Amino acid sequence: MLRRDFLKGIAVMPFGNAVGQGFVNPLVSTFSAGGTVITKLGIFIYNGVPGVGNLIESITGAAGTDSYGNAYLAGNTYYAHDGFGTFIQEIAGLIVLGNSTYPTGARGAASLNLQPNGSLLIAVGGTGGVIQLGQDGFVSITNEEVWYPPSGDTTGVTDVTNINAILAGGGAILHLTQGNYYINAPIVIPGSQTRLTGDFWWSAVDSDNYSAGAGNTGGALITMVPAFAGSAAIEMVNTTNNQYYGVDISGITIEGNEVPSGTIYGILVDGAWGACFLRGVCIHRPPADCIRFITDPTSGKIPDDWIIQDCKFSASRNGYGFYASELADSTISNCESSENDLDGWYINYGVQSRWEGCKGENNGRNGFHCTGLDADQVQWFIGCSTHINNLDGFLFDNAGPSGGGQATYMLSACVAQEDGTGGAAISAGFKSLGCNSRVMGIGCVTAFSGTTPHYGAYEGTASFGMCHTGSSLFGATAATFDDGSNTHALVNQSPVPF
């Protein structure tokens, strides 16, 4: 594979343009008739239809010895330098890597594959790296960065195989370009320091386009095909006692609409994954939860210390938008969970985690559902909002797998608008229902449609206590309600809405 520093100073032209037009590079030594540019470093730019005699030309036309002491043949033999003292030689469809080694050990053979979209894929055995030459963009392969365009294989076999091969090599930044990557099995994040990034994402489905016209998911789009088999489009499973860390996933859309049914998630995070990033990711219409964080049943370890921002978790057909069981010490900001079958946000445990500027809208149950903290723990919701959820805006109870102790939920400048649209007997913007923790609201607001929600804030079923300060609580029935069974009566220090 080519190292990144070997690409410095090499201009890259889009495929399909005439080679040499506006292209000046002192490192170029050969222009082949087939449209291949060869540099003195052995780096090439391919510009043509793959075919015999039009792949990778020799570094020079004559036999000789390169700067690393490797002898090479004369004529139209195919070579490319890998930057580590080895050249690649193509013989009868088999790419043989030369007599040198990477610092990590011996090199192996590689395979040559013509992709459905007309690009050439060279998969380097034993390293997980690839060299891809396509007709519509330049893909640079290094031991640090890989640009991989979609293959066009709608069976889902090619892209998931190639993506997993790249990621399994370790240490590479995998870039997905705009287009549709079909997968029939999970993309597997193998461990620490893995980065998967796309150009961008978008999602605008019929029910949330605000009369602007029907839209669809797109960008760097990962589509699960109808025959998809596995737990999730992206699978992060760690059954060990050791924490994996430094994973960064960004700029992609995951589309699950073609999968007919099953317990299949958009992203599954299982076990000790810490210090990870999820940024600019859209997950749309999987059969089960859009994203699911869980404690690993083997190790008992939990996900920890995540930064999640600018994401959309949308339209899970039979599950939650965001399901987090014991996601600790994390920050989730500027994210939306909407139109899911169950809760938009299902949050159990999650000590010291905070939600900032997040929204739960038009979900089948609650906007935010907080199901229990351990004693003396704290969780924050800052500037978060709900809108037209079937049940409650913010629900706090002890229904989660971790139960609940006497902890604290802190809400600041949160807004619940017109929740309770599903006809629940008692709906509220903010509800504490048998919750052992105190719920503290500062500067919070509820708004009602005229019929829902019934209450701005509700406390019942032997809750510990809820207090709102400087808030404006509206409800179709009353601003607040306390059923009298609670340890501390609901306190509204702004009794008159304004």
Side-chain angles (χ1 to χ4, degrees), residues 201 280 308-313 331-337 345 355-359 382-384:
W201 67 267
I308 302 170
Q309 60 190 50
D310 305 326
C311 294
K312 183 172 182 176
F313 312 108
T331 299
I332 301 92
S333 61
N334 194 31
C335 294
E336 175 184 332
S337 187
W345 302 87
W355 279 255
E356 301 173 350
C358 293
K359 180 173 71 170
I382 304 167
C384 294

Side-chain angles (χ1 to χ4, degrees), residues 283 286 288-293 308 311-325 327 332 335-348 355 358-371 381 384-395 419:
I283 306 172
D289 307 338
C290 291
I291 187 167
R292 186 176 182 89
F293 294 86
I308 302 170
C311 294
K312 183 172 182 176
F313 312 108
S314 178
S316 165
R317 285 176 280 145
N318 299 288
Y320 303 92
F322 185 102
Y323 180 101
S325 179
L327 174 62
I332 301 92
C335 294
E336 175 184 332
S337 187
S338 59
E339 301 179 312
N340 298 286
D341 184 55
L342 303 179
D343 299 317
W345 302 87
Y346 181 97
I347 305 161
N348 176 68
W355 279 255
C358 293
K359 180 173 71 170
E361 183 177 51
N362 195 21
N363 293 288
R365 291 185 181 176
N366 308 284
F368 290 81
H369 185 182
C370 302
T371 68
F381 298 87
C384 294
S385 64
T386 66
H387 185 221
I388 57 172
N389 295 285
N390 273 4
L391 301 181
D392 303 307
F394 294 79
L395 171 63
D419 297 300

Side-chain angles (χ1 to χ4, degrees), residues 98-124:
N99 56 8
S100 186
T101 62
Y102 274 118
T104 55
R107 300 285 299 279
S111 60
L112 185 71
N113 300 289
L114 189 63
Q115 301 298 291
N117 65 355
S119 62
L120 175 71
L121 182 69
I122 305 173
V124 182

Side-chain angles (χ1 to χ4, degrees), residues 10-24:
I10 306 300
V12 175
M13 298 177 59
F15 296 163
N17 294 338
V19 174
Q21 292 182 359
F23 180 78
V24 179

Side-chain angles (χ1 to χ4, degrees), residues 159-340:
D159 284 334
V160 74
T161 299
N162 293 337
I163 288 170
N164 282 337
I166 297 167
L167 295 177
I173 301 172
L174 174 55
H175 298 265
L176 303 181
T177 61
Q178 182 180 357
N180 201 334
Y181 297 80
Y182 295 96
I183 61 171
N184 70 343
I187 294 172
V188 178
I189 304 299
S192 298
Q193 296 177 295
T194 300
R195 183 172 178 184
L196 174 64
T197 183
D199 281 355
F200 53 88
W201 67 267
W202 74 73
S203 176
V205 296
D206 293 348
S207 55
D208 67 354
N209 58 32
Y210 301 101
S211 302
N216 209 333
T217 49
L221 179 61
I222 297 172
T223 298
M224 293 185 278
V225 300
F228 182 93
S231 64
I234 296 180
E235 184 179 83
M236 300 174 63
V237 176
N238 179 9
T239 61
T240 75
N241 291 322
N242 300 317
Q243 188 177 73
Y244 295 160
Y245 59 90
V247 173
D248 188 349
I249 301 173
S250 64
I252 61 173
T253 302
I254 296 172
E255 176 59 69
N257 192 48
E258 294 186 17
V259 183
S261 62
T263 307
I264 299 173
Y265 311 109
I267 297 178
L268 173 64
V269 183
D270 178 335
W273 295 86
C276 297
F277 295 87
L278 189 73
R279 300 178 288 189
V281 171
C282 173
I283 306 172
H284 184 248
R285 289 191 64 79
D289 307 338
C290 291
I291 187 167
R292 186 176 182 89
F293 294 86
I294 61 172
T295 304
D296 182 72
T298 301
S299 68
K301 303 300 182 182
I302 67 173
D304 180 39
D305 194 20
W306 279 64
I307 301 295
I308 302 170
Q309 60 190 50
D310 305 326
C311 294
K312 183 172 182 176
F313 312 108
S314 178
S316 165
R317 285 176 280 145
N318 299 288
Y320 303 92
F322 185 102
Y323 180 101
S325 179
E326 306 193 46
L327 174 62
D329 301 314
S330 297
T331 299
I332 301 92
S333 61
N334 194 31
C335 294
E336 175 184 332
S337 187
S338 59
E339 301 179 312
N340 298 286

